[in-house]
Amino acid sequence: MEQERQSENTEKSSSGTANRSPVAESDEDNERAHPDREALTLPSFVAGSGALDRLVDTARDYARAAASENTLKAYAKDWAHFTRWCRMKGAEPLPPSPEMIGLYMADLAAGSGPSPALSVATIDRRLSGLTWNYAQRGFTLDRKNRHIATVLAGIKRKHARPPVQKAAILAEDILAMVATLPFGLRGLRDRAILLLGYAGGLRRSEIVSLDVHKDDTPDSGGWIEIFDQGALLTLNAKTGWREVEIGRGSKEQTCPVHAVEQWLHFARIDFGPVFVGTSRDGKRASETRLNDKHVARLIKRTVMDAGIRSELPEKDRLALFSGHSLRAGLASSAEVDERYVQKQLGHASAEMTRRYQRRRDRFRVNLTKAAGL
């Protein structure tokens, strides 16, 4: 299976590098890798023991499970970036200083040196990451403090832009994308991923986290049950546990349930993750669960191969589609009551579901005519 290579560039100031000892550098790396070590420990007045230490480790595991892995990774990067920025400015990240955080946000919005200015959404997310990290270290960051709230309000007023939505993959698009896939083992897998993700309105993390049965693996995000009428997915999603019903299609070539059955049969998978990698020759399934980035790459590749939005330059086409295009496609294409779409996508409000509907309900209510004009 093709693996995506990632590299991370670490910025260091010359003065900070010169004055930092190997021990301090190791401690900083240790803190970045395990931000919860300081957060969950035994009280100072309690003597440690083997049983208590194991409970601390268990509590840390539960604390990590409070947010998704991707969220925790993002928060860890937010903290690493902020602490590096503080040291470059000759300040310390602890305890929290609203004044310094206000300056930090202003720097992010303005852009400095080779670093481009960040979007309002990214700055807001960075602030959420700092709030979470401070909480894990026993501090409270007051986002309503004037040094933070007024700076953020000014950034939003000056730099806010309408949200950039990914394009929806409509019914005719998904059929064209599926048609580009070969009929080998990888093609069967990728066809099942696209059709299941589209029909279920699933997030890419929900697709790859599926297991064949309940409790097959420790990192499972849900499981799938197949019936004569369709498939029932039980998912541990962002909003909690939910069930997603996926009925059988009108023909086998485009039926998501049939596609999953074909993949599981020919890959000889009866336990563990549903979607796994394959051997280099593509003739054998591995036991390694796919990363959710595979779904994003698969969507972009098949969009290109199918010639969708071919009037646009390649760069624009690649930027236009992502994993969320599947969810937006279902919301935009399914001609059913909005409540059923909301339930399928797992949204808490109808307003959130409407954000995913790219072409429906516009001008459905004409207030101009209703007002007599």
Side-chain angles (χ1 to χ4, degrees), residues 15-158:
S15 59
T17 304
N19 296 329
R20 189 178 300 167
S21 68
V23 174
E25 187 168 317
S26 176
D27 289 343
E28 182 180 337
D29 292 341
N30 197 36
E31 180 185 353
R32 291 178 184 178
H34 304 281
D36 56 347
R37 286 190 174 176
E38 292 183 3
L40 297 172
T41 58
L42 287 174
S44 58
F45 54 84
V46 175
S49 67
L52 286 176
D53 290 341
R54 286 192 293 272
L55 282 177
V56 169
D57 290 338
T58 302
R60 287 172 179 165
D61 289 339
Y62 282 127
R64 283 190 289 269
S68 71
E69 183 180 354
N70 288 340
T71 299
L72 293 178
K73 286 180 179 178
Y75 284 172
K77 289 181 178 179
D78 293 339
W79 182 252
H81 188 274
F82 175 65
T83 55
R84 184 167 59 246
W85 181 89
C86 284
R87 293 187 174 98
M88 291 175 67
K89 304 301 180 185
E92 289 296 328
L94 295 172
S97 167
E99 295 85 352
M100 288 303 296
I101 293 174
L103 295 177
Y104 174 65
M105 292 190 300
D107 196 14
L108 296 178
S112 59
S115 301
L118 299 184
S119 68
V120 173
T122 301
I123 294 173
D124 204 17
R125 207 289 317 283
R126 287 270 177 97
L127 184 57
S128 297
L130 296 185
T131 304
W132 184 89
N133 275 284
Y134 276 123
Q136 303 312 301
R137 290 163 174 80
F139 296 96
T140 299
L141 179 62
D142 182 11
R143 293 185 55 155
K144 295 182 180 179
N145 183 286
R146 63 186 180 90
H147 294 285
I148 298 176
T150 55
V151 171
L152 183 60
I155 291 173
K156 289 181 177 180
R157 184 176 179 83
K158 187 173 182 179

Side-chain angles (χ1 to χ4, degrees), residues 9 13 18 23-24 44-45 47 68 107-108 111 123 128 174 189 193 196 200 205 210 218 224 227 240 269 283 313:
N9 297 324
S13 63
V23 174
S44 58
F45 54 84
S68 71
D107 196 14
L108 296 178
I123 294 173
S128 297
I174 197 72
R189 178 198 64 194
I193 287 175
L196 189 73
S205 59
L210 281 172
I224 183 170
F227 304 95
I269 296 175
K283 296 181 179 180

Side-chain angles (χ1 to χ4, degrees), residues 173 175-182 190 194 297-310 314 317-318 321:
D173 298 329
L175 294 178
M177 292 162 63
V178 167
T180 67
L181 296 172
D190 291 344
L194 290 177
R297 292 193 298 265
L298 172 63
I299 290 172
K300 292 179 182 295
R301 188 182 76 240
T302 51
V303 161
M304 298 297 291
D305 292 344
I308 298 171
R309 300 297 297 271
S310 57
E314 179 177 331
R317 292 170 66 196
L318 289 173
F321 296 93

Side-chain angles (χ1 to χ4, degrees), residues 109-335:
S112 59
S115 301
L118 299 184
S119 68
V120 173
T122 301
I123 294 173
D124 204 17
R125 207 289 317 283
R126 287 270 177 97
L127 184 57
S128 297
L130 296 185
T131 304
W132 184 89
N133 275 284
Y134 276 123
Q136 303 312 301
R137 290 163 174 80
F139 296 96
T140 299
L141 179 62
D142 182 11
R143 293 185 55 155
K144 295 182 180 179
N145 183 286
R146 63 186 180 90
H147 294 285
I148 298 176
T150 55
V151 171
L152 183 60
I155 291 173
K156 289 181 177 180
R157 184 176 179 83
K158 187 173 182 179
H159 298 292
R161 298 288 184 273
V164 178
Q165 294 182 320
K166 295 298 181 180
I169 293 174
L170 304 178
E172 58 268 24
D173 298 329
I174 197 72
L175 294 178
M177 292 162 63
V178 167
T180 67
L181 296 172
F183 285 91
L185 202 57
R186 289 176 187 165
L188 290 175
R189 178 198 64 194
D190 291 344
R191 185 174 287 102
I193 287 175
L194 290 177
L195 291 174
L196 189 73
Y198 184 83
L202 305 178
R203 300 176 179 88
R204 63 187 194 184
S205 59
E206 293 171 342
I207 298 173
V208 299
S209 68
L210 281 172
D211 277 0
V212 178
H213 309 103
K214 181 181 179 181
D215 298 329
D216 274 359
T217 62
D219 61 340
S220 170
W223 65 93
I224 183 170
E225 299 173 87
I226 298 179
F227 304 95
D228 291 340
Q229 297 86 354
L232 178 65
L233 312 184
T234 305
L235 302 171
N236 187 7
K238 293 173 66 176
T239 55
W241 287 99
R242 67 187 179 98
E243 291 184 344
V244 175
E245 297 177 6
I246 300 179
R248 292 188 181 270
S250 55
K251 51 185 178 180
E252 288 188 347
Q253 292 89 334
T254 59
C255 174
V257 182
H258 179 73
V260 172
E261 289 176 321
Q262 290 288 95
W263 157 247
L264 293 177
H265 172 74
F266 286 102
R268 299 180 180 179
I269 296 175
D270 56 10
F271 182 86
V274 172
F275 296 113
V276 297
T278 61
S279 58
R280 288 193 174 185
D281 59 8
K283 296 181 179 180
R284 180 172 46 84
S286 71
E287 298 179 356
T288 305
R289 187 188 303 276
L290 284 179
N291 188 286
D292 64 344
K293 291 183 175 60
H294 174 82
V295 180
R297 292 193 298 265
L298 172 63
I299 290 172
K300 292 179 182 295
R301 188 182 76 240
T302 51
V303 161
M304 298 297 291
D305 292 344
I308 298 171
R309 300 297 297 271
S310 57
E311 73 278 5
L312 298 176
E314 179 177 331
K315 182 179 179 181
D316 294 342
R317 292 170 66 196
L318 289 173
L320 201 56
F321 296 93
S322 72
H324 261 60
S325 296
L326 295 178
R327 287 167 63 78
L330 178 73
S332 301
S333 299
E335 298 294 337

